[in-house]
């Protein structure tokens, strides 16, 4: 429905002489059935049919998963076709990205289609399989060397500075983001000093964790530090007491070897970095509260006693 509404809006707004911005947030692929089925809300994927995959000898949830990818692909294809028919595709910048890594919900198994490309972890994980996903950019009239691959790590907080830079506006001082427009132009690109993520434990659902204190990961260049649980229970901020794993993403992108014992200097450097930035271990959307005993029913958390922590 919102795809059709978005296309109708776009076909009207292009009649104006000014530029337009369309944020089209598709909800698929995602766990959850179509309409009132199935009985368990997370089973399957929200797709009306299994399309060309109905006769495959796959589990039903994997047929759904394949179908929902094709369903999304068709919608994106419709968007690109409309840009061309409106004769604006050459000058329209299109980003395609995900808000997290491959999910492992509703019965879908990430190994079935190798959804993480071999990366460790998945959605709701501090490992690369949870926070790292590919992005695609299409801009026929603007990209330098179309068809190339980029190793630039970037994040959603870079979108606003990039759009501001594209429009020739001053960059907002209240964001940690950077413009990646130079990368698109094939010019010298500024790198992030660090990328910082928070969650509870290494990965998985909150109620699966043995300890409920949140943790974090920090990436700086080739190095990534991962702290499953912050040790500072009072302020919930990174500290030198944190037990940090260390991965060399250049040599070990799948995070199979913790090299913290071999590089204590790098561990200290990463801790010094996050401490100096006054960052918090508190994670967004975790539903975290101290001194709770998590109660899980059907894989979901139920809160018994809430003592909120303000950071």
């Amino acid at each position: 429905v919102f795809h059709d509404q978005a296309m109708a809006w776009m076909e009207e707004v292009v009649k104006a002489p000014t530029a337009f911005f369309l944020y089209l947030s598709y909800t698929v692929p995602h766990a959850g059935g179509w309409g009132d089925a199935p009985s368990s809300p997370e089973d399957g994927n929200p797709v009306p049919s299994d399309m060309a995959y109905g006769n495959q000898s796959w589990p039903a949830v994997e047929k759904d998963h394949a179908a929902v990818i094709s369903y999304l692909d068709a919608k994106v294809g419709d968007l690109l076709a409309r840009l061309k028919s409106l004769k604006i595709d050459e000058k329209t910048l299109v980003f395609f990205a995900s808000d997290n890594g491959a999910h492992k919900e509703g019965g879908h198994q990430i190994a079935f289609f190798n959804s993480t490309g071999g990366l460790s972890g998945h959605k709701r994980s501090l490992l690369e399989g949870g926070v790292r996903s590919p992005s695609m950019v299409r801009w026929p009239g603007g990209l330098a060397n179309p068809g190339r691959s980029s190793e630039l790590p970037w994040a959603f907080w870079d979108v606003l500075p990039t759009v501001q830079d594209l429009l020739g506006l001053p960059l907002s001082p209240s964001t940690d983001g950077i413009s990646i427009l130079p990368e698109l132009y094939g010019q010298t690109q500024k790198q992030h000093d660090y990328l910082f993520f928070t969650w509870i434990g290494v990965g998985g659902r909150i109620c699966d964790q043995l300890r409920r204190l949140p943790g974090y990961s920090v990436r700086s260049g080739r190095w990534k530090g991962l702290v499953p649980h912050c040790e500072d229970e009072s302020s919930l901020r990174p500290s030198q007491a944190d037990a940090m794993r260390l991965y060399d993403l250049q040599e070990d992108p799948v995070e199979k070897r913790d090299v913290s014992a071999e590089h204590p200097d790098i561990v200290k450097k990463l801790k010094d970095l996050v401490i100096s930035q006054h960052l918090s271990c508190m994670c967004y959307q975790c539903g975290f509260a101290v001194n709770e005993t998590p109660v899980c029913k059907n894989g979901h958390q139920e809160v018994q006693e809430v003592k909120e922590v303000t950071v």
Side-chain angles (χ1 to χ4, degrees):
V1 173
F2 63 76
H3 173 83
D4 293 340
Q5 292 290 326
M7 296 302 98
W9 175 86
M10 184 179 71
E11 292 186 346
E12 285 298 317
V13 77
V14 298
K15 297 175 182 178
T18 55
F20 70 92
F21 175 81
L22 173 60
Y23 173 59
L24 192 51
S25 180
Y26 294 103
T27 58
V28 293
H30 200 281
W34 180 265
D36 295 330
S39 56
S40 177
E42 278 202 358
D43 285 353
N45 279 269
V47 64
S49 75
D50 285 337
M51 303 174 70
Y53 309 101
N55 293 326
Q56 293 287 344
S57 58
W58 303 340
V61 66
E62 305 304 351
K63 296 179 186 179
D64 281 2
H65 191 79
V68 84
I69 297 293
S70 294
Y71 188 75
L72 173 61
D73 186 61
K75 296 303 181 186
V76 175
D78 180 45
L79 167 64
L80 298 180
R82 289 175 191 252
L83 291 176
K84 189 171 184 177
S85 69
L86 293 168
K87 297 180 171 53
I88 59 172
D89 63 316
E90 287 288 320
K91 59 183 180 180
T92 301
L93 173 59
V94 179
F95 285 94
F96 183 87
S98 174
D99 61 343
N100 48 248
H103 79 79
K104 188 180 178 181
E105 301 168 353
H108 169 59
Q109 299 299 314
I110 56 175
F112 194 84
F113 295 114
N114 190 26
S115 298
T116 64
L119 296 177
S120 298
H122 46 80
K123 178 182 177 181
R124 295 193 178 98
S125 170
L126 290 172
L127 295 165
E128 290 295 280
V131 300
R132 180 178 177 179
S133 61
S135 304
M136 291 181 282
V137 182
R138 186 181 188 275
W139 191 15
L143 284 180
N145 304 318
R148 65 187 171 93
S149 296
S150 170
E151 297 297 323
L152 175 71
W154 76 299
F156 277 151
W157 46 94
D158 298 327
V159 172
L160 176 59
T162 301
V163 173
Q164 290 175 320
D165 197 12
L166 180 65
L167 297 176
L169 300 175
L171 303 188
S172 173
S174 60
T175 176
D176 293 328
I178 60 175
S179 170
I180 66 165
L181 197 58
E183 182 72 14
L184 304 184
Y185 284 149
Q187 301 170 353
T188 301
Q189 171 66 53
K190 176 184 177 181
Q191 300 277 335
H192 276 283
D193 294 330
Y194 66 91
L195 291 172
F196 184 80
F197 300 93
T198 56
W199 190 248
I200 298 179
V202 174
R205 297 187 179 281
I206 298 170
C207 58
D208 294 335
Q209 307 304 319
L210 297 178
R211 293 181 58 194
R212 299 201 61 244
L213 290 179
Y216 62 89
S217 69
V218 55
R219 176 176 178 176
S220 182
R222 66 189 291 174
W223 300 106
K224 176 179 175 179
L226 192 156
V227 174
H229 306 281
C230 285
E231 291 298 325
D232 188 341
E233 299 185 22
S234 57
S235 69
L236 294 178
R237 293 190 182 277
S239 69
Q240 291 292 346
D242 292 336
M244 178 178 283
R245 306 177 188 180
L246 182 68
Y247 299 103
D248 181 351
L249 295 182
Q250 182 172 304
E251 297 295 328
D252 179 28
V254 296
E255 298 169 293
K256 294 299 184 184
R257 185 165 177 260
D258 176 5
V259 294
S260 57
E262 300 168 35
H263 300 281
D265 56 325
I266 301 297
V267 170
K268 185 179 185 305
K269 182 179 179 180
L270 291 176
K271 289 181 180 179
D272 286 342
L273 172 62
V274 294
I275 292 171
S276 70
Q277 297 300 308
H278 307 289
L279 300 170
S280 172
C281 301
M282 182 65 76
C283 54
Y284 177 62
Q285 288 188 329
C286 282
F288 175 77
V290 174
N291 297 326
E292 283 183 13
T293 300
V295 176
C296 297
K297 292 184 178 180
N298 299 321
H300 296 278
Q301 176 188 354
E302 293 188 359
V303 176
Q304 287 189 321
E305 178 185 2
V306 177
K307 297 180 181 178
E308 297 292 348
V309 173
T310 301
V311 178

